[in-house]
Amino acid sequence: MNQEIRLFGAIAVRPAILALISQFEAATGFTVAVKWELNPTVKKQIEAGEPFDLVIINPDLIEDLTALGKIKAASQVAFGRIAMGVAAKAGGRPLNIGSVEAFEHALKSARSIAYASEGTSGGYFSSLLERLGIADEVKPKLVAVPGGQTAPAVGRGEAELGVVPVTSILAAAPEVMLVGQFPAELQSYIDFAIGISADSRDAEAAKQLSEFLMSTAADDILAAKGLERR
């Protein structure tokens, strides 16, 4: 019987995971059905009863769902982390964001900046503007974009720059280019962990998928897509 594994994950990890799914399916004969939402939405839907076998979201959300009995205790593993980056339309002029000063200048000079309004990255960016003391100047330029559409919005010309996890920028090529990662002093990595459902239809199959995603064989593909192992 061809067993289906239901994978529910955060939009930011989608490009990295999709590159691996076909390999896993070919090696095991399993089918992986995927669903993607922003991190907080994944948690809300699971709390509301959304069925899943394996989930990949922020570690603190995995802990919350474990405490609620939705995720099997001790099934959590640290998957990796994704850096924040700046996106621009491909073919545009080079932009320097290598220092805090250059980063601030780029934001102040941009006509418009797209960001994920409800995701982890958007929350961090909003707080960063406050921390840098440039929120009043930059906020009128911000374009709130729904989940997973920030980088493509830049490619369509709906915003001059985009602030989003690196994975999403790389996935939007060739229309979009990665200007660069946030300067080291301002960088915030978004961490991800894997958890197995307490009500999985096939916990053993879910465990196999978890182990495959954690294997060193996956490292190079994940790195190329913008996900770093811890």
Side-chain angles (χ1 to χ4, degrees), residues 101-152:
E101 294 74 20
F103 180 79
E104 287 186 20
H105 178 71
L107 295 181
K108 289 177 182 177
S109 303
R111 292 184 305 277
S112 52
I113 304 163
Y115 77 111
S117 52
E118 297 167 341
T120 310
S121 67
Y124 173 71
F125 181 56
S126 296
S127 65
L128 178 62
L129 295 177
E130 299 284 354
R131 198 173 103 205
L132 292 172
I134 59 173
D136 290 344
E137 193 171 347
V138 175
K139 276 188 175 172
K141 307 173 180 194
L142 296 184
V143 179
V145 179
Q149 293 303 307
T150 309

Coordinates of all heavy atoms in Angstrom, one line a residue, residues 101-152:
E101 N 25.2 50.9 8.9 CA 24.9 52.3 8.3 C 24.4 52.1 6.8 O 23.5 52.8 6.4 CB 26.2 53.1 8.3 CG 26.7 53.5 9.6 CD 27.4 52.4 10.4 OE1 27.8 51.4 9.8 OE2 27.4 52.5 11.7
A102 N 25.1 51.2 6.1 CA 24.7 51.0 4.7 C 23.3 50.4 4.6 O 22.5 50.7 3.7 CB 25.7 50.0 4.0
F103 N 23.0 49.5 5.5 CA 21.7 48.8 5.6 C 20.6 49.9 5.9 O 19.6 49.9 5.2 CB 21.7 47.8 6.7 CG 20.4 47.0 6.9 CD1 20.0 46.0 6.1 CD2 19.5 47.4 8.0 CE1 18.9 45.3 6.3 CE2 18.4 46.7 8.1 CZ 18.0 45.6 7.3
E104 N 20.8 50.7 6.8 CA 19.9 51.8 7.2 C 19.7 52.7 6.0 O 18.6 53.1 5.6 CB 20.4 52.6 8.4 CG 20.3 51.9 9.7 CD 20.6 52.8 10.8 OE1 20.6 54.1 10.7 OE2 20.9 52.3 11.9
H105 N 20.8 53.1 5.3 CA 20.7 54.0 4.1 C 19.9 53.4 3.0 O 19.1 54.1 2.4 CB 22.1 54.3 3.6 CG 22.2 55.2 2.4 ND1 21.8 56.5 2.5 CD2 22.4 54.9 1.1 CE1 21.9 57.0 1.3 NE2 22.3 56.1 0.4
A106 N 20.1 52.1 2.8 CA 19.3 51.4 1.7 C 17.8 51.4 2.0 O 17.0 51.6 1.1 CB 19.8 49.9 1.6
L107 N 17.5 51.2 3.3 CA 16.1 51.2 3.7 C 15.5 52.6 3.5 O 14.3 52.8 3.0 CB 15.9 50.7 5.1 CG 16.2 49.3 5.4 CD1 16.0 48.9 6.9 CD2 15.5 48.3 4.5
K108 N 16.2 53.6 4.0 CA 15.7 55.0 3.9 C 15.6 55.5 2.4 O 14.8 56.3 2.1 CB 16.7 55.9 4.6 CG 16.7 55.8 6.2 CD 17.7 56.7 6.8 CE 17.8 56.6 8.3 NZ 18.9 57.4 8.8
S109 N 16.5 55.0 1.6 CA 16.5 55.4 0.2 C 15.5 54.7 -0.7 O 15.1 55.2 -1.8 CB 17.9 55.2 -0.4 OG 18.9 55.8 0.3
A110 N 15.0 53.5 -0.3 CA 14.1 52.7 -1.1 C 12.7 53.4 -1.2 O 12.3 54.1 -0.2 CB 13.9 51.4 -0.5
R111 N 12.1 53.3 -2.3 CA 10.8 53.9 -2.5 C 9.7 53.1 -1.7 O 8.8 53.6 -1.2 CB 10.4 54.0 -4.0 CG 11.2 54.9 -4.8 CD 10.8 55.0 -6.2 NE 10.7 53.7 -6.9 CZ 11.8 53.1 -7.5 NH1 13.0 53.7 -7.4 NH2 11.7 51.9 -8.0
S112 N 9.9 51.7 -1.7 CA 9.0 50.9 -1.1 C 9.7 49.6 -0.7 O 10.6 49.1 -1.3 CB 7.8 50.6 -2.0 OG 8.3 50.1 -3.3
I113 N 9.2 49.0 0.4 CA 9.8 47.8 1.0 C 8.7 46.8 1.3 O 7.9 47.0 2.2 CB 10.6 48.1 2.2 CG1 11.7 49.2 1.9 CG2 11.3 46.8 2.8 CD1 12.2 49.8 3.2
A114 N 8.7 45.6 0.7 CA 7.7 44.6 1.0 C 8.2 43.7 2.2 O 9.4 43.5 2.3 CB 7.5 43.7 -0.2
Y115 N 7.3 43.3 3.0 CA 7.6 42.4 4.1 C 6.4 41.5 4.4 O 5.3 41.8 4.0 CB 8.1 43.2 5.4 CG 6.9 43.8 6.1 CD1 6.6 43.4 7.4 CD2 6.2 44.9 5.6 CE1 5.5 44.0 8.1 CE2 5.1 45.4 6.3 CZ 4.8 45.0 7.5 OH 3.8 45.5 8.2
A116 N 6.7 40.4 5.1 CA 5.6 39.4 5.4 C 4.9 39.9 6.7 O 5.5 39.9 7.8 CB 6.2 38.0 5.6
S117 N 3.7 40.4 6.5 CA 3.0 41.1 7.6 C 2.7 40.3 8.8 O 2.7 40.8 9.9 CB 1.7 41.8 7.0 OG 1.0 40.8 6.4
E118 N 2.5 39.0 8.6 CA 2.0 38.2 9.7 C 3.0 37.1 10.1 O 2.8 36.3 11.0 CB 0.7 37.5 9.3 CG -0.4 38.5 9.1 CD -1.6 37.9 8.4 OE1 -1.4 36.8 7.8 OE2 -2.7 38.5 8.5
G119 N 4.2 37.0 9.5 CA 5.1 35.9 9.7 C 6.2 36.3 10.8 O 6.2 37.4 11.3
T120 N 7.0 35.4 11.1 CA 8.1 35.6 12.1 C 9.1 36.7 11.6 O 9.5 37.5 12.3 CB 8.9 34.3 12.2 OG1 8.0 33.2 12.5 CG2 9.9 34.4 13.4
S121 N 9.4 36.6 10.3 CA 10.3 37.6 9.7 C 9.8 39.0 9.8 O 10.5 39.9 10.1 CB 10.7 37.2 8.3 OG 9.6 37.3 7.4
G122 N 8.5 39.2 9.5 CA 7.9 40.5 9.5 C 7.9 41.1 10.9 O 8.1 42.3 11.1
G123 N 7.6 40.3 11.9 CA 7.6 40.7 13.3 C 9.0 41.2 13.7 O 9.2 42.2 14.3
Y124 N 10.0 40.4 13.3 CA 11.4 40.8 13.6 C 11.8 42.1 12.9 O 12.4 43.0 13.5 CB 12.4 39.7 13.2 CG 13.8 40.2 13.4 CD1 14.3 40.4 14.7 CD2 14.6 40.5 12.3 CE1 15.6 40.8 14.9 CE2 15.9 41.0 12.5 CZ 16.4 41.2 13.8 OH 17.7 41.7 14.0
F125 N 11.4 42.3 11.6 CA 11.8 43.5 10.9 C 11.1 44.7 11.5 O 11.8 45.7 11.6 CB 11.4 43.3 9.4 CG 11.8 44.5 8.6 CD1 13.1 44.9 8.5 CD2 10.8 45.1 7.8 CE1 13.4 46.0 7.7 CE2 11.1 46.2 7.0 CZ 12.4 46.7 6.9
S126 N 9.9 44.6 11.9 CA 9.2 45.7 12.5 C 9.9 46.2 13.8 O 10.1 47.3 14.0 CB 7.7 45.4 12.8 OG 7.0 45.1 11.6
S127 N 10.3 45.2 14.6 CA 11.0 45.5 15.9 C 12.4 46.1 15.6 O 12.8 46.9 16.3 CB 11.0 44.3 16.8 OG 11.8 43.3 16.2
L128 N 13.0 45.6 14.5 CA 14.3 46.1 14.2 C 14.3 47.6 13.8 O 15.2 48.3 14.2 CB 14.9 45.2 13.0 CG 16.3 45.7 12.5 CD1 17.3 45.5 13.6 CD2 16.7 44.8 11.3
L129 N 13.3 48.0 13.0 CA 13.1 49.4 12.7 C 13.0 50.2 13.9 O 13.6 51.3 14.0 CB 11.9 49.6 11.7 CG 12.0 48.9 10.4 CD1 10.7 49.1 9.6 CD2 13.2 49.4 9.5
E130 N 12.3 49.8 14.9 CA 12.1 50.5 16.1 C 13.5 50.6 16.8 O 13.9 51.7 17.3 CB 11.1 49.8 17.1 CG 9.7 49.7 16.5 CD 9.0 51.0 16.6 OE1 9.5 52.0 17.2 OE2 7.8 51.1 16.0
R131 N 14.2 49.5 16.9 CA 15.5 49.4 17.6 C 16.5 50.4 16.9 O 17.3 51.0 17.6 CB 16.0 48.0 17.5 CG 17.1 47.6 18.5 CD 17.4 46.1 18.4 NE 18.6 45.9 17.7 CZ 18.9 44.7 17.1 NH1 18.0 43.8 17.1 NH2 20.0 44.5 16.4
L132 N 16.5 50.4 15.6 CA 17.4 51.3 14.9 C 17.0 52.8 14.9 O 17.8 53.7 14.5 CB 17.5 50.9 13.4 CG 18.2 49.5 13.1 CD1 18.0 49.1 11.7 CD2 19.7 49.5 13.5
G133 N 15.8 53.0 15.4 CA 15.3 54.4 15.5 C 14.9 55.0 14.1 O 14.9 56.2 14.0
I134 N 14.6 54.1 13.1 CA 14.2 54.6 11.8 C 12.8 54.2 11.4 O 12.4 54.4 10.3 CB 15.2 54.2 10.7 CG1 15.2 52.6 10.6 CG2 16.6 54.7 11.0 CD1 16.1 52.1 9.5
A135 N 12.0 53.8 12.4 CA 10.7 53.3 12.1 C 9.8 54.4 11.5 O 9.1 54.1 10.6 CB 10.0 52.7 13.4
D136 N 9.8 55.6 12.1 CA 8.9 56.7 11.6 C 9.2 57.0 10.1 O 8.3 57.3 9.4 CB 9.1 57.9 12.5 CG 8.5 57.7 13.9 OD1 7.7 56.8 14.0 OD2 8.8 58.5 14.8
E137 N 10.5 56.9 9.8 CA 10.9 57.3 8.4 C 10.6 56.1 7.4 O 10.3 56.4 6.3 CB 12.5 57.5 8.4 CG 13.0 58.2 7.2 CD 14.4 58.7 7.3 OE1 14.9 58.7 8.5 OE2 15.0 59.0 6.3
V138 N 10.8 54.9 7.9 CA 10.7 53.8 7.0 C 9.2 53.2 6.9 O 8.8 52.7 5.8 CB 11.7 52.6 7.3 CG1 11.5 51.4 6.5 CG2 13.1 53.1 7.2
K139 N 8.5 53.3 8.0 CA 7.2 52.6 8.0 C 6.2 53.1 6.9 O 5.5 52.2 6.4 CB 6.5 52.7 9.4 CG 7.0 51.7 10.3 CD 6.3 51.7 11.7 CE 6.7 50.5 12.5 NZ 6.2 50.5 13.9
P140 N 6.2 54.3 6.5 CA 5.3 54.7 5.4 C 5.6 54.0 4.1 O 4.8 54.0 3.2 CB 5.5 56.3 5.3 CG 6.1 56.7 6.6 CD 6.9 55.5 7.1
K141 N 6.8 53.5 3.9 CA 7.2 52.9 2.7 C 6.9 51.4 2.7 O 7.1 50.7 1.7 CB 8.8 53.0 2.5 CG 9.3 54.4 2.5 CD 10.8 54.4 2.5 CE 11.3 55.8 2.5 NZ 12.7 55.8 2.2
L142 N 6.5 50.8 3.8 CA 6.3 49.4 4.0 C 5.1 48.9 3.2 O 4.0 49.5 3.3 CB 6.2 49.0 5.4 CG 7.5 49.2 6.3 CD1 7.3 48.7 7.7 CD2 8.7 48.6 5.7
V143 N 5.2 47.8 2.5 CA 4.1 47.1 1.8 C 3.9 45.8 2.5 O 4.7 44.9 2.3 CB 4.5 47.0 0.3 CG1 3.3 46.3 -0.4 CG2 4.8 48.3 -0.3
A144 N 2.8 45.6 3.2 CA 2.5 44.3 3.9 C 2.0 43.3 2.8 O 1.1 43.6 2.0 CB 1.5 44.5 4.9
V145 N 2.7 42.2 2.8 CA 2.4 41.2 1.8 C 2.0 39.9 2.4 O 2.6 39.5 3.4 CB 3.6 40.9 0.9 CG1 3.3 39.9 -0.2 CG2 4.1 42.2 0.2
P146 N 0.9 39.2 1.9 CA 0.5 37.9 2.6 C 1.6 36.8 2.4 O 2.5 36.9 1.6 CB -0.8 37.5 1.8 CG -0.8 38.4 0.6 CD 0.1 39.6 0.8
G147 N 1.4 35.8 3.2 CA 2.4 34.7 3.4 C 2.9 34.2 2.1 O 2.2 33.8 1.2
G148 N 4.3 34.1 2.0 CA 4.9 33.5 0.9 C 5.0 34.3 -0.4 O 5.6 33.9 -1.4
Q149 N 4.5 35.5 -0.4 CA 4.4 36.3 -1.6 C 5.4 37.5 -1.6 O 5.4 38.3 -2.5 CB 3.0 36.8 -1.8 CG 2.0 35.7 -2.1 CD 2.4 34.9 -3.4 OE1 2.7 35.4 -4.4 NE2 2.6 33.6 -3.2
T150 N 6.2 37.7 -0.5 CA 7.0 38.9 -0.4 C 8.0 39.0 -1.5 O 8.1 40.0 -2.2 CB 7.7 38.9 1.0 OG1 6.8 38.6 2.0 CG2 8.4 40.2 1.2
A151 N 8.8 37.9 -1.7 CA 9.8 38.0 -2.8 C 9.2 38.1 -4.2 O 9.6 38.9 -5.0 CB 10.8 36.8 -2.7
P152 N 8.2 37.3 -4.5 CA 7.5 37.4 -5.8 C 7.0 38.8 -6.1 O 6.9 39.3 -7.2 CB 6.4 36.4 -5.8 CG 6.9 35.3 -4.9 CD 7.7 36.1 -3.8

